[in-house]
Every structure is written in structure tokens, then in C-alpha cells.
Amino acid sequence: MNEFSRSLYSTIAFVLLFSASLLAQSKGKIDGKVTDESGEPLPGVQVFIDGTTRGTLSEGDGYYSIINVTPGEYTLVFKYLGFSDVRVQNVEVIIDRTTEINMVMKEAVIEGEEVVVISERPVVQPDRTTTTSFVSSKEIEDLPVQSVADVVNLQAGVVEGHFRGGRTNEVAYVVNGVPINNAFSNTAGFEVEQNMVSSLEVISGVFNAEYGQALSGVVNIVTKDVPREWSFNSQSFVRSVVSGREFLFLDRNSGPGSNLSVDDFQTNAVTMSQAASFPNQVDVQFSGGGPIIEDKLGIQFTGRFNNDRGSTWGRDLFQPSDSSSFLLSAPRGGYTDPNNPQNDWIIESTGDGDFVDMTEFTRYSINASLTYNMTSSTKLDYNLFAQTQEAFSFDGGFNETRRYNPDSRNVNSSLNQTHIVGLRHSFSSKTFGNLSYSYLRSSFNSQLYDDPLDPRLVQPLLSQQTGPNAFPIGGNDLSYTDNLTQTHTIVGSVTSQVDRYNQVKAGFNIRLHDINSQSRSILAVPGQDPIFSPTRNPGLGFRDLQVNPYEFAAYIQDKIELDNMIINAGLRFDMFDPAFDVPRFWYLADQETIINPDNPTDPTDLISNRRAASIKTQVSPRIGVAFPVSATGVIRFSYGMFFQTPALSGIYNNNEYFIDEGATSASFGNPDIDPQQTSSFEIGLQQGLTDDLGLEVTLFTRDIRNLGATVIEDSPIGVVVSRTENLDYGTVRGFTLSLFQRPRGRVQWNLDYTFQFVDGSAFISGDSQIRNRAGLDDVVVLARLPWDRRHVLNNVITVQPIRPLSITLVNRLNSGRPYTTERFRIRSFLPNNEDRPTTVLTDLRAFYNLPLKGTQLIFQVQNLFDVLAPQFVFDDSGRADYTLDEFDAQNQALIGVNTLDDWFERQSFYSAPRRVALGLSIRF
């Protein structure tokens, strides 16, 4: 048994023996006051959730509360002798919120008389002290989205995964109270399928002390509980590209061959509909669940197959092994060798010539939940999340140039599985707790063939090398990556309604990581078997990492609900141990022992150039206060400090501190870097304008510290050494505005607007090393960060023109992200000084209830108006369709088979084309 295993098992044993506290799953609360028609309180009224054993009796002043309620919709029943029973339907419980149901009971005229009341979600939530969006499973079903991430991006303050200007890896993802982030990348370890989601909470403001390892926000997911009766749901989609937009593609006039000339190739304009495969996407989901043993054991599950062929295309003209003769001496459009005319250029092109879906991915996933009610107060549950995916990437770098040699791209394969076991116990009607253990295993592999050293791999040959502005006509990716992250997590807490006003939650979190990462460059010399490159230079893609860092956190949170004030106050302690050694002297990082600096005259007096990276800790206060100023108005403010360890993939970069022989530079991560820190403050107003119309305005500011920046030093052996240190900082300021209408009649809508300034420090000296040698500080300014969108407007409208038909439109207006201009060949001194164009996109989803019960026809369109919205631009023009580089290239010899127009046209610079889907949903 290795040291990591011993540490794991001893920790688990310690927690199980010592901890009486248990994991707090994300729950809600129902409370209120029961009176008679004269306003007098009614004590002893029986209040319970229909179909469950959960309930309570009203106190002497008529007050009641039911805690530990799983988010969802319920029917609440009130019973009192001599009074009519009352059933309140559609009572919606929200994560970490209090649903207030006050009841006026009437004396019964007829024995057994029952009153039915329909509850509605209030326009204003008086107990909310921060910016939080809550989305129910029904709302998710109605939206034209394909994933939970799509739903998150529709919330105010969230733009393409960035929460209020933060990085995409600054968000904590929590499922059933358990953090699921992959520590290696600081992103979600897996994707919960939307059919499995009961409720979704998106916190873009200051979040409570129970949430950690995040700087920007929290995505809190609660999965569906086991239904009381068996039910199934099948949902299938087939999508097609329906777009008339045209792009240039290279074509071959003849069949595949090895004796072709440049005259056998030409460039034509092709519509996206012609280039796309049919179907462009097949998406099949099947869900079900029900009791196995009534009131004891039940299951809920969903499975999904999703083959999405993407929205960018290439053509299979060349294979990796193809090559040409006399290529370099016979450029297209000119001759450099008069004795070798262009017709002597012999080209090998053995691809089948078909269009290829360059961003295709295929994913299989299973989400399942098994619940066992051990007693009326104790429940055991098990959750499984498993998904496997194969994908190709098509970005602006290597793979963009492989448009006509698509089989040269590596296949990126991932396999993720997470197991969560939870034991949940109610100690009394006022106190409950849970204990959960989870095991996350996330693997990623990138290689071309099943054998990473497959003999078909070829090193780029002289006869395959085209010139500038020309697509490769052979060769392949020669990199190999294999990452495995395993994380054991134990989380626990106790929640208690101490008295009428205080609900206290205290808990802990332990995460033990096992990180294995390998990256290699491959040498494929003709006539020899491929081998992994013997060089250990990280600049050539080398990594060999095995490390076992761990985290610990503890917190206490008190929610105080007074008549005219609600306070959320908490304190969190975080600790991170990188469990790794770092150099004492970074400029000699590759040397494990060095001459004692205190005795430089004695070369035999050696000391170790390694020390243990320090353990990082932080105490973070969190507070939020809401003041109900009227029955329909609430003012709130909140403040918090937040802590996050950078992605482990970065801090352990070049973990062996290796400098290749003859190298002039080397770069390292830094396991001893301090965690990133953020201080966030916001002030907001919720206001009900009418019974159905609500307004929310929030002003926010974030101060971001300890971001990683590169420090450069000269080593005594003449090598420039760089490493990561906590030097960068950032600020975010802005406001969000939400206007929403509660469902009423045949129309429902909401509108979210975000205006923000996202700035960060930037080194603009041009040569940091020269300034350091001269003893000068870097020139640092505050500049816009690359993902900043100044204006974001989201609008969702749902219309029901006739009873069986429902239509939802999602409209998104985004101002462009910034870029650094280059005008007249001079690059701007100030980074990110100009905006890309503003874009407007619309998606549609329509449901039509067929006569057969439980059957729905679904029609969905992405990019309804087929807008060609620029996402990227050329720095010298600010446009996606023009660059001065093409003008300059006209005066150069083009050594390749494509045209300049083809080379400078970028599919990835634009939004995806219109895609139309037809689906069928069957419930039974």
C-alpha cells in the first residue's frame, strides 16, 4: 500500500469515527404562520408535505417551519380540527431559500371540506442576500438548449462561462452538495445531463461560506429524486445544417492519385448545407425511474448518446503519408527554377475528396441515482455519473491549417466517472446532517492511433513542406498526452434550526488528489519505428508528473431571519498542501545540489537546492444582508473573500525543473505559488413592479489579487529562466439588470442586461528581461482582459398561441471581445484597445402536444436567422473577412495548391450556421 493510499484510508477512518457531522446536501425550507379569519394564531395545526412523512405542528403563535426539503414542487397540506383542510399546490422549494406559505384557515361548514390553493413563485425573494438565479427542471425543458452549460450562460452576469469577468476555471461546480471540479484543470469533472437536473442554482454574486475553491461563482445542481410511480421519458433529435452562407474549399478535378499536378486542383465556393453531413447531429436520451421496493428502494436514471458533427468543415484530399516531388522549386503563380516548370510538380493526393466534419464529437453518458430509505429519518443514496467522449479539435492554430489533411489530427478521448455515496439522517425535526464520500476519476488522452507509436506516423518531410500561406499536404500530429486525475472527497455538515430566527450550518471538506500526467513528442524517422523523443525539454511537450496534493476546508454559516432583516454570515477556513518540492534558488532550478552560497570558495560544501512547498491557508469571511423595505421591495448587500488554488496543470509545469542541454531558455510552473484571492462586494435591489412583473438591479465590484505572472531571471550558465509568481491583479466593476414576468396567460418573458469593465494588469515593456538586467521594474498598466464583453443582453420569450403549441425564443446581444490593434504595421502599445463587432443571435424551440397522450413534437433552430456573426477579427483590419497580410502575400510565391483567398478565409472566425432539429418526446 503506497503512502497516498495509507493517507486516504486513515483519513476516511478518522472522519467516520470522529465526525458526528454529515454532508449538507443543498436543501430548502418552508415556513410561515397559520391564523384564523380573525387573524388569531392557530397552534397545533398539522402541516405536512403530501406523499411524504415530512411535517410539523404550528407553535403557540401559529409559526411553523419544515427544513431539509429537497428543491422541487410539492403540495403542502394544512389540517386542524373544526377547520377546512387546505391543500396548497405548486409549492416551489429553492436551494438554500425559504419558501414562505402563510395560511388563513376557515372553519369547516361541511365535514371533510377541503380548500385547494395554487401557489406561485413570488416576484421578490426577501431572504436572498446575493445575486442568484434558480432554474427548475420545467424551465430547462422549455429552453432551446442542449446542455446545463447553455442554461448557465443565459443567466445575468454570466458570459460564455465567465462569471462577472472572471476566468472560466474560477467557478465551483457542485452536485448534490459535493464539489466535482477536476483539480488538474479547475473545470467541471463531468457534465450532468439536463434530463437528470431537478433544479439548478447559479450564484454569480457573493456565495456562502460552505462553497470554496472558487473566485467568481457557483453552479449548484440538484439531481432528480426517485418518483413515487414508475415513469419513463424518451427524447430524440435529428439536426441538419440549413445555411446558404458560402466558404471557399479546395477541390480536386480528378480521383485520388500519386501523379497529379497543380492543375488538378481548384478552389470553389460551397454552401454550408452542401459541406455538412446529414444528419449533422443525432441526440438520443432516455430517462426513467420509480420504486423498486415501495417506500424503501428506488432508482432514477438517464442515458444519452450524442453525435454532433459540429459547424466547421474540411476536405479529405491528403493523407499523412502523402508527399510531392519538386514542390519547393515550383510555386503556384511563379517559378523559382526555370529548369523545373510547374508541370513537373508531381503531387500525391490519396484522400477520398469527401467533406469532413472537423469538430465532430461523440459522447455516451449515464447518470443514475439509487435511494434506500433505511428508516423514516435515515436515507442512503448512491449517484453515478459516467461519460466517455471522442472528439477532434479545430482551432485557429494547428488544426485550422489541417483543413485538407484531416486524418492528421489527434483524437482526443476522455473518460469520466464519479461515484457519490451519501448517508443522510434527521436527528430531529429541527436538525439534520449527512455524510458523503465521492470518487472522481477523469482521464484524457490525445493521440493519433491506438498505439501512440504506430508505424504509420510520419515525420514532416521536405517533400511535404509547403510555403507560407499554404495548407499542409502531408504529415501528422506528433504529440502524445495522457492525463489521469483521481480525487477522493469527503464532505460533511450539520444543519440546525436553532431557534425561529437562526439556521446554523457547520461542515468540512477533504479532497485527496492523485494526479498523473504524461506528455511526449514523437520522433518518426523514415525507415525506423517511431519513438518518444529522448529530449526532456518541456518546450517540446515533455511532462512526466505524479503528485498527491490535498485540500481541507471547514466552515460555519448562520442564516438569521428577522421580521425586517435577513442576514447570511459565515466564516470559512481553507488549506492546500501542494505536496511537492521547489528550488531554493530558481535560477539554478535544474540543479538538485549547489555550492553553499555562504561558502562560495569551497566547491565541496554542497547543500540541497530543494525545499518543501509551504502549506497555504486562508480565513475568508462572508456576509450578506437583505432589508425588506416594503411588501414588494428588498434592498441587499453582500461582501466576501474567496480563495482558489490555480489549476494544477499550470503550477506543476516542468515538474522536474529540467533544462535541455544547449537550451537558451527554460520555463517552470511553481508549486509554491500562493492561491488566488478575490474580494467581492455588491449591492442590489429587488422590486415588484406589479403582481407579475419584477425588477432586479445589482451593482458589483471585484478586486482580484495573486494572479500568476511570469518572472524572468538569468542563470549563471547563460540560460534565461522564467517561472510563475503572484504578481498580476485585476478589477471588475459593473451592474446587472433583470426584468422578468411571472408566467401568466399565454406570454412569459424575461430580460437580463450586464454592463461591466473587466481589467487586469499587463506587462507592456516589450522586453521584461532587458529591463530586469538594467534594474528597472516592468512597465505595468491596467488593460482590458481578453474575454471582456462590455454589454451583454439576453432575452427569453415564451408564447402559447394555441393550447397544444408553445414557442420559446432566446435572443442574445453581445458586444465584441477586445483585441489589440495593429495599424500600418505598428502594434498598439496598450493591449486589448479595441472591440470586435457586436453580434445578435436568436435560437428557437417549439413544442407541439400530439393527440397521443404524453407525446410531443419538438422543433428547434440554432441561429434562426443564419447570422454571420464575427467572433474573431484580423488585428490589422478589425474585420473577419479582410487582412493586409493577404495583400502583401500577393507579391510572394505561393508554394501550395490552395489560393490566397482560401488560406485567409477562416470558418472559425464566425458564429455557427443555422442548424434545424426535429425531435420527438414520449412520456409513459
Side-chain angles (χ1 to χ4, degrees), residues 744-785:
R744 185 75 72 186
R746 296 176 181 243
V747 179
Q748 176 187 353
W749 59 269
N750 66 63
L751 182 146
D752 294 319
Y753 171 66
T754 301
F755 175 73
Q756 62 185 10
F757 296 85
V758 183
D759 301 314
S761 58
F763 294 94
I764 61 172
S765 63
D767 195 334
S768 177
Q769 181 190 0
I770 292 176
R771 295 186 63 84
N772 287 340
R773 286 174 177 171
L776 302 174
D777 293 332
D778 285 296
V779 177
V780 181
V781 298
L782 207 60
R784 293 180 63 187
L785 294 176

Side-chain angles (χ1 to χ4, degrees), residues 8 60 74 76 184 470 473 547 619 639 667 741 750 774 809-810 825 865 876 905:
L8 167 66
Y74 300 93
L76 193 64
F184 193 64
I473 59 175
V547 65
V619 176
Y639 170 81
S667 62
Q741 181 202 45
N750 66 63
L809 288 168
V810 174
R825 306 304 178 191
F865 302 109
D876 58 3
E905 190 175 67

Side-chain angles (χ1 to χ4, degrees), residues 523-536:
L523 295 178
V525 179
Q528 301 178 19
D529 290 335
I531 61 171
F532 287 125
S533 172
T535 180
R536 302 175 72 81

Side-chain angles (χ1 to χ4, degrees), residues 10-38:
S10 62
T11 301
I12 294 174
F14 169 77
V15 171
L16 292 176
L17 291 174
F18 173 78
S19 178
S21 66
L22 304 170
L23 161 76
Q25 187 182 10
S26 298
K27 300 288 186 178
K29 172 184 170 184
I30 303 173
D31 74 4
K33 187 175 183 179
V34 187
T35 62
D36 62 18
E37 292 181 280
S38 67

Side-chain angles (χ1 to χ4, degrees), residues 94-294:
I94 298 176
I95 301 171
D96 294 333
R97 300 275 82 82
T98 298
T99 300
E100 186 175 5
I101 304 293
N102 295 315
M103 183 53 57
V104 177
M105 300 192 70
K106 300 179 180 179
E107 294 187 16
V109 178
I110 302 172
E111 187 176 353
E113 183 180 15
E114 183 178 76
V115 178
V116 177
V117 179
I118 305 298
S119 175
E120 292 183 310
R121 184 191 298 185
V123 172
V124 172
Q125 298 172 318
D127 69 321
R128 180 157 61 83
T129 60
T130 188
T131 304
T132 301
S133 300
F134 176 83
V135 188
S136 67
S137 59
K138 177 63 171 62
E139 292 170 318
I140 293 174
E141 289 175 3
D142 291 342
L143 290 171
V145 297
Q146 298 189 62
S147 66
V148 169
D150 293 339
V151 180
V152 172
N153 283 320
L154 288 174
Q155 310 311 310
V158 183
V159 184
E160 298 167 337
H162 299 274
F163 282 55
R164 289 188 176 173
R167 292 167 172 81
T168 55
N169 62 359
E170 294 178 358
V171 179
Y173 292 85
V174 180
V175 174
N176 295 339
V178 178
I180 63 164
N181 283 54
N182 182 328
F184 193 64
S185 60
N186 260 358
T187 57
F190 59 89
E191 183 176 317
V192 180
E193 298 299 347
Q194 61 196 73
N195 278 1
M196 193 67 177
V197 176
S198 171
S199 60
L200 172 69
E201 182 187 33
V202 180
I203 308 174
S204 55
V206 175
F207 39 92
N208 287 347
E210 64 185 289
Y211 303 113
Q213 283 293 359
L215 299 179
S216 300
V218 175
V219 176
N220 196 353
I221 299 171
V222 176
T223 59
K224 291 180 178 178
D225 209 347
V226 175
R228 282 177 282 175
E229 297 181 355
W230 278 97
S231 62
F232 298 93
N233 176 29
S234 173
Q235 194 173 91
S236 303
F237 290 93
V238 176
R239 290 180 173 87
S240 176
V241 173
V242 182
S243 173
R245 70 170 68 168
E246 291 185 338
F247 282 99
L248 297 175
F249 286 93
L250 187 65
D251 195 6
R252 191 175 55 209
N253 300 326
S254 63
S258 58
N259 193 26
L260 305 179
S261 72
V262 72
D263 293 331
D264 290 310
F265 297 88
Q266 64 181 14
T267 299
N268 299 318
V270 178
T271 67
M272 298 292 91
S273 294
Q274 292 173 312
S277 303
F278 179 81
N280 176 255
Q281 184 180 17
V282 175
D283 188 351
V284 179
Q285 303 177 57
F286 184 78
S287 304
I292 299 173
I293 302 175
E294 190 171 357

Side-chain angles (χ1 to χ4, degrees), residues 15 21 179 209-213 489-493 506-512 550-556 571-577 616-620 622 643:
V15 171
S21 66
E210 64 185 289
Y211 303 113
Q213 283 293 359
T489 303
I490 304 170
V491 284
S493 76
F508 67 90
N509 183 339
I510 299 171
R511 303 193 81 198
L512 309 175
Y550 64 89
E551 310 167 29
F552 172 78
Y555 67 89
I556 185 167
L571 192 67
R572 182 181 179 91
F573 170 78
D574 282 283
M575 181 191 76
F576 173 73
D577 186 350
K616 315 301 179 183
T617 61
Q618 176 171 308
V619 176
S620 306
R622 317 272 174 88
F643 167 108

Side-chain angles (χ1 to χ4, degrees), residues 640-659:
M641 294 180 61
F642 306 96
F643 167 108
Q644 186 183 42
T645 304
L648 303 187
S649 58
I651 68 174
Y652 293 115
N653 183 44
N654 193 1
N655 55 289
E656 294 186 329
Y657 308 112
F658 185 80
I659 300 178

Side-chain angles (χ1 to χ4, degrees), residues 570-588:
L571 192 67
R572 182 181 179 91
F573 170 78
D574 282 283
M575 181 191 76
F576 173 73
D577 186 350
F580 210 77
D581 289 342
V582 296
R584 296 179 186 274
F585 302 95
W586 281 96
Y587 60 86
L588 297 172

